[in-house]
Amino acid sequence: MQQRWQKKKKHFPLIAVIFFVFIAFSILWSESNIGVIHQHQSHRDKNGEKQRSFDQNDSLLDSTPAQNFNLSKKSPVGIDKFTTCASTVRYSGRRAVSAIHMEESGGRRAASEVEGCDLFSGKWILDNVTHPLYNESECPYMSDQLACHKHGRPDVGYQFWRWQPRNCNLKRWNAVEMWEKLRGKRLMFVGDSLNRGQWISMLCLLQSVIPKDKQSITPNSELTIFRAENYNATVEFLWTPLLVESNSDDAVDHRMNERILRPDAILRHSSRWEHADILVFNSYLWWRQGSVKLLWSDDENRICEEISGLGGMELAMETWADWVASNVDPQKKKVFFVTMSPTHLGKYEWEPGSEGNCFNEKQPIHNERYWGTGSDLPTMRMVEKVLSRLGSKVSVLNITQLSEYRKDGHPTIYRKFWEPLGPEKTSNPASYSDCIHWCLPGVPDVWNELLFQFL
């Protein structure tokens, strides 16, 4: 065409017509493809908003500095509550950890050592003068899962226990001082329902000093944000029970027949927490419910690998640790990891020969050497090993031992249950007692008192 254009300029009108026809055809062809793309997007949207949000985050992979994960060249297919495994094989031994060299370091210390004493070692003291630190009925953000007195618990003694460290004291809680520490900052709790309980505890501890017209809460599916306008600060909770992306990331609908996770994918979550100034992570309970299935990001055939809960947790912890190593400057961002919250599912552990669980327990365990099966030592050793690679980038809030003593602090039957309870269960309270979560006011308040010490 170009040669004809140069030799026969008198044919300009015919050439122009051919050219514009070509352009018009190109435009129509492009619009046709755009239509196909929109149809594909609409089909994808049927899988829910989780799929869409992940697809939006996919675009960050090209513009974000190297994340050092073993990502495939193609953007991974989103994982959500509709994801299933086409088939399952045994775990192959693959790891997702990056090439970043994180040396074993003695720089990471339990937060208590900064004070020159072990704040995590001590005993519970009955104190009906300074405790509870707030009233259950006066906290507008209280959860029906944790409001034990509201749901009929006859005794309130669980609210009056104060944690007393050995050979030193906790700094007295001061909500105004805590807000000053948070002024202009974002504090975010990231994890499961136990971490959410700690977040609710923090809201109850803080909200009373904020004028009603200066505080607000914005639920946003997995991410819920409490704002204090007069301090330009937020206290947030991000539902991320397995740290990495999984089919259980829906904050409400997360009960799945099989638990599927992407052990090498964290971007969907980290894009939400990366700008927080103070991060409080936890992960433990969800890994204690049997094996999990791994669906690697570069697998397009939905072939899952089955692994033990502990093995899956280690892979997830490694990916999380890789993000911390790559992105956290301890001078600018504070990161805490909360150790496992113990359960009290077997009364025989603190009272040999007995049956039942934490139901109807009204006193803490006073044997300072007590350690129940609800706190798994192999898991603790694995977590310690992973955290040791991060040096001073992470501080550990070791709440396990002090919480072990509080067999009296669980909701048992005094909470809202989301499913109807039949006569078989109601006739045997121990059969449906919640010995996992904690009443508020109660044990999680102490976890936040400890956090207050180190901010």
Side-chain angles (χ1 to χ4, degrees), residues 201-234:
S201 162
M202 183 64 83
L203 297 188
C204 293
L205 287 164
L206 288 174
Q207 59 84 28
S208 63
V209 299
I210 304 296
K212 297 299 180 186
D213 63 340
K214 297 295 183 183
Q215 60 178 271
S216 62
I217 191 163
T218 308
N220 183 21
S221 189
E222 292 87 10
L223 180 63
T224 309
I225 303 171
F226 174 88
R227 290 184 173 85
E229 292 181 24
N230 49 332
Y231 286 94
N232 187 30
T234 62

Side-chain angles (χ1 to χ4, degrees), residues 129-167:
V129 177
T130 66
H131 283 61
L133 298 174
Y134 56 88
N135 293 319
E136 176 192 296
S137 60
E138 294 176 1
C139 178
Y141 309 107
M142 180 62 66
S143 166
D144 277 337
Q145 189 181 37
L146 312 174
C148 301
H149 186 59
K150 173 184 174 181
H151 288 277
R153 180 162 177 168
D155 65 301
V156 292
Y158 64 91
Q159 300 183 9
F160 298 111
W161 293 95
R162 172 175 57 83
W163 177 246
Q164 177 59 58
R166 188 181 293 110
N167 302 324

Side-chain angles (χ1 to χ4, degrees), residues 259-422:
R259 194 145 291 152
I260 304 171
L261 59 132
R262 289 203 184 282
D264 56 346
I266 204 168
L267 183 60
R268 183 169 69 194
H269 300 322
S270 64
S271 64
R272 291 184 168 187
W273 75 50
E274 64 182 348
H275 298 299
D277 302 282
I278 304 163
L279 286 162
V280 182
F281 291 93
N282 90 319
S283 189
Y284 168 57
L285 190 65
W286 280 51
W287 303 103
R288 297 274 289 170
Q289 300 175 25
S291 62
V292 297
K293 295 186 177 181
L294 313 176
L295 184 58
W296 297 91
S297 295
D298 57 3
D299 190 296
E300 298 177 350
N301 299 314
R302 292 187 296 114
I303 299 175
C304 297
E305 296 182 348
E306 190 165 14
I307 191 172
S308 68
L310 177 56
M313 182 179 179
E314 184 171 5
L315 291 175
M317 287 288 298
E318 287 176 347
T319 298
W320 170 83
D322 186 69
W323 181 89
V324 172
S326 306
N327 296 277
V328 172
D329 179 351
Q331 301 302 316
K332 299 178 181 179
K333 190 188 299 287
K334 293 183 182 296
V335 178
F336 294 88
F337 193 89
V338 181
T339 60
M340 64 184 66
S341 172
T343 60
H344 293 91
L345 301 175
K347 188 173 182 177
Y348 67 90
E349 294 192 322
W350 59 86
E351 197 173 305
S354 299
E355 295 182 355
N357 50 31
C358 69
F359 175 68
N360 213 27
E361 292 291 331
K362 296 180 174 63
Q363 292 282 324
I365 295 169
H366 296 292
N367 175 10
E368 293 188 25
R369 294 184 177 182
Y370 174 79
W371 191 270
T373 57
S375 299
D376 184 59
L377 287 173
T379 301
M380 294 189 76
R381 285 192 286 267
M382 180 275 292
V383 171
E384 172 63 22
K385 178 182 176 183
V386 173
L387 295 180
S388 68
R389 296 158 50 204
L390 295 172
S392 60
K393 291 178 181 285
V394 177
S395 295
V396 178
L397 286 182
N398 188 357
I399 57 91
T400 305
Q401 182 69 78
L402 65 90
S403 303
E404 276 277 16
Y405 304 138
R406 293 301 307 274
K407 60 181 172 59
D408 62 311
H410 299 285
T412 67
I413 65 174
Y414 305 110
R415 51 159 285 189
K416 180 177 180 178
F417 289 91
W418 315 117
E419 297 174 353
L421 300 170

